[in-house]
Amino acid sequence: MDETMSDTARTPPFAPFEWLLSGRYLRARRKEGFISVIAGFSFLGIMLGVATLIIVMAVMNGFRKELLDKILGLNGHLLVQPLESPLTDWKDVAERISQLDGIRLAAPVVDGQALASSAFNAAGVLVRGMRSADLNKLTSIAKNIKQGTMEGFDEGQGVIIGRRLADQLSLHAGDTITLVAPKGAVTPMGTTPRIKPYKVAAVFEIGMSEYDASFVFMPLPESQAYFNRKDDVTAIEVFTTNPDRIDVFRKMVTEAAGRPVFLVDWRQRNSTFFNALQVERNVMFLILTMIVLVAALNIVSGLIMLVKDKGQDIAILRTMGASQGSIMRIFLITGAAIGVVGTLTGFFVGMLICLNIESIRQFLSWMTNTELFSPELYFLSRLPAEIDFGETTAVVIMALTLSFLATLYPSWRAARLDPVDALRYE
């Protein structure tokens, strides 16, 4: 007997019989049905928690990336505004800035507000005057022309408008749009509004409803005349190759300008919006982590009940020579199996949904006959999902860690169970 117990004591960790018993305890009999129900809910909780975390993080990342691409695709990473005197030397300043390393485009612009009207409706718009060469380098506009063409933009009297504005005013390429500016010609009777019709040369759609409904692009010389700018411009929009290195570019642009300028970067122009998005993302992560934590607590309760139910089995195993370590590992494997399988299943479910999120949104919209994620509310015309593999890995590791920690206390209780007391009370 001593020789047998000595051989058993030298059983290596995670021996085949430990895996066999763990698998047997996962397949509960009818009398242990309630325990298997708890294990099933623990599995579902971890699976749903991991999948939901992955999906929500991917969608939040997608929103940030899409909004950042669209905002920075239309507005410069750095806005150069004049100080002390109007920006009449904009050609020289833009040329010097554009020659810097890492500067993709330095575009002089004239911005002004106007009322756009047609025979059917009217809407307030932001008119932006740009050179045709600069506008062609803005891929967010040049590659998203839905009607008409940008050819001859500088020579003609045409303007380019957004798709939603065109729909609101019931206009198409080739139609006439009337722009009304509050400050026009100065007469003996005072300043009169400037009212001028323009041909719609093209219609663009970048997918961000706020821009598609409010922007009107006009040739730079025409915008200078329309807004009484004479020879100056409002500002110079600077586009860089790497928005995250904007602090480096600020210093370079300040030196290259060669005149007093005031710089505003994209972080300052959109700080409130992106800070709110980051706070919302962090809060969602904390809230959804609670789902995984609740599921891990279900593992604790299920294993404690299993240990109590298997007290006689544990006592018999101990009297046959099984060590406390073996008993502990049996229940560790049982609980960890629920967490590992639930986490991996949740990972695959989350990845599958993220890769097909827009198709799922369209299907649900069709099924419910409603518009989910309205572009007017969420700014975007489609539901984006950007999978960050670092974040996804962190979610998986967190779920596996919580699942493992949940098994420690019940397993320790099983290992500490006294065989004599267990058999006495059976």
Side-chain angles (χ1 to χ4, degrees):
M1 180 68 179
D2 291 341
E3 183 179 352
T4 303
M5 292 185 64
S6 177
D7 292 339
T8 307
R10 291 195 296 267
T11 301
F14 299 103
F17 87 94
E18 295 175 5
W19 292 93
L20 180 66
L21 285 174
S22 298
R24 175 64 190 82
Y25 288 160
L26 284 171
R27 300 187 301 273
R29 296 176 182 174
R30 184 179 302 175
K31 68 175 184 177
E32 301 152 359
F34 185 65
I35 298 173
S36 63
V37 168
I38 294 177
F41 276 114
S42 302
F43 165 80
L44 287 175
I46 290 176
M47 182 197 74
L48 290 175
V50 171
T52 306
L53 262 174
I54 291 174
I55 295 167
V56 169
M57 293 295 103
V59 170
M60 296 294 288
N61 288 336
F63 267 121
R64 187 183 187 279
K65 183 178 183 300
E66 287 288 318
L67 290 172
L68 194 61
D69 289 346
K70 287 177 169 51
I71 290 173
L72 298 186
L74 196 58
N75 297 308
H77 305 159
L78 198 60
L79 185 67
V80 181
Q81 296 174 310
L83 276 180
E84 299 179 359
S85 61
L87 203 57
T88 53
D89 55 342
W90 54 270
K91 289 184 180 179
D92 296 333
V93 175
E95 181 65 24
R96 289 194 296 268
I97 293 174
S98 63
Q99 292 177 357
L100 296 172
D101 289 337
I103 301 299
R104 188 162 49 87
L105 175 64
V109 298
V110 171
D111 285 337
Q113 293 181 334
L115 176 69
S117 63
S118 68
F120 306 97
N121 210 340
V125 295
L126 175 65
V127 179
R128 172 163 292 180
M130 292 186 70
R131 296 179 296 189
S132 177
D134 295 334
L135 195 58
N136 279 312
K137 292 179 182 179
L138 285 183
T139 55
S140 59
I141 300 297
K143 292 187 177 181
N144 290 291
I145 299 296
K146 302 302 179 183
Q147 297 177 21
T149 177
M150 293 175 60
E151 293 181 6
F153 177 68
D154 270 344
E155 291 77 15
Q157 294 287 305
V159 295
I160 300 174
I161 67 175
R163 179 65 175 271
R164 289 188 174 274
L165 178 62
D167 292 343
Q168 186 177 353
L169 302 182
S170 300
L171 294 175
H172 300 85
D175 293 342
T176 299
I177 184 173
T178 301
L179 296 179
V180 182
K183 292 183 179 181
V186 179
T187 68
M189 303 297 293
T191 303
T192 60
R194 174 166 282 128
I195 304 173
K196 191 170 182 179
Y198 291 94
K199 177 184 175 182
V200 178
V203 177
F204 70 88
E205 183 180 17
I206 65 174
M208 188 168 179
S209 61
E210 185 179 7
Y211 291 164
D212 290 338
S214 61
F215 265 86
V216 174
F217 288 94
M218 181 184 291
L220 184 62
E222 177 62 25
S223 65
Q224 288 176 315
Y226 187 78
F227 290 109
N228 300 324
R229 300 296 302 193
K230 294 183 179 180
D231 295 327
D232 69 317
V233 298
T234 307
I236 298 176
E237 296 274 6
V238 179
F239 296 82
T240 68
T241 54
N242 187 354
D244 293 327
R245 296 182 62 241
I246 199 64
D247 290 329
V248 176
F249 291 119
R250 283 181 70 104
K251 183 178 180 181
M252 295 168 56
V253 169
T254 302
E255 295 173 352
R259 58 158 291 156
V261 291
F262 178 69
L263 303 183
V264 181
D265 62 50
W266 67 271
R267 297 171 304 184
Q268 295 169 316
R269 296 166 79 177
N270 305 283
S271 61
T272 302
F273 183 78
F274 285 106
N275 287 341
L277 200 63
Q278 183 66 29
V279 170
E280 182 181 355
R281 183 172 168 277
N282 292 338
V283 171
M284 290 296 291
F285 181 84
L286 291 175
I287 292 173
L288 294 173
T289 302
M290 296 298 104
I291 299 177
V292 182
L293 185 59
V294 169
L297 293 177
N298 283 341
I299 294 177
V300 175
S301 60
L303 282 181
I304 289 176
M305 294 183 66
L306 183 64
V307 169
K308 185 174 180 62
D309 186 73
K310 297 296 182 181
Q312 188 176 20
D313 294 4
I314 295 170
I316 293 172
L317 286 170
R318 290 297 310 281
T319 56
M320 292 177 63
S323 65
Q324 287 186 339
S326 293
I327 301 298
M328 187 171 183
R329 286 191 293 271
I330 289 171
F331 288 93
L332 275 175
I333 295 171
T334 303
I338 300 172
V340 170
V341 176
T343 300
L344 294 180
T345 306
F347 168 76
F348 287 115
V349 170
M351 295 292 286
L352 184 64
I353 293 177
C354 286
L355 295 174
N356 299 277
I357 191 74
E358 177 60 17
S359 300
I360 295 172
R361 183 193 72 84
Q362 293 177 0
F363 174 74
L364 292 176
S365 296
W366 175 77
M367 283 287 293
T368 59
N369 198 26
T370 58
E371 187 176 20
L372 300 177
F373 298 97
S374 170
E376 286 79 8
L377 182 61
Y378 294 95
F379 301 112
L380 303 176
S381 57
R382 55 182 290 274
L383 184 61
E386 181 75 15
I387 299 172
D388 186 319
F389 289 99
E391 279 186 351
T392 303
T393 303
V395 169
V396 171
I397 292 175
M398 177 199 69
L400 291 176
T401 303
L402 287 176
S403 302
F404 175 74
L405 292 176
T407 64
L408 292 179
Y409 176 69
S411 303
W412 177 79
R413 280 195 58 176
R416 298 277 296 175
L417 190 65
D418 188 347
V420 176
D421 292 338
L423 290 174
R424 179 185 302 160
Y425 294 110
E426 286 293 335

